Amino acid sequence: MATKLLSHNAHREAGKSHLEYFRELLERDGDKATVSLHADHLKSLLAFASPDKR
């Protein structure tokens, strides 16, 4: 299976989307909410949180 490489900006947009999903998940499931993250999820979240391209 081929992996699509995302640009920094694409990772930032994905990270924003992930955070919106987490908010919805918490609103729906409260303290019972769980999520499983893969490396690409973490890269996207870090890209969204970081103002530069580190």
Side-chain angles (χ1 to χ4, degrees), residues 10-52:
H11 268 297
R12 283 181 59 83
E13 287 301 313
K16 179 180 178 183
S17 176
H18 296 335
L19 288 177
E20 290 169 358
Y21 171 71
F22 297 161
R23 286 185 189 103
E24 292 171 9
L25 187 65
L26 281 170
E27 185 176 308
R28 187 188 75 206
D29 297 343
D31 289 341
K32 294 185 187 245
T34 62
V35 66
S36 176
L37 300 175
H38 298 277
D40 277 342
H41 295 117
L42 298 174
K43 290 175 188 176
S44 295
L45 290 168
L46 291 172
F48 182 68
S50 178
D52 56 17

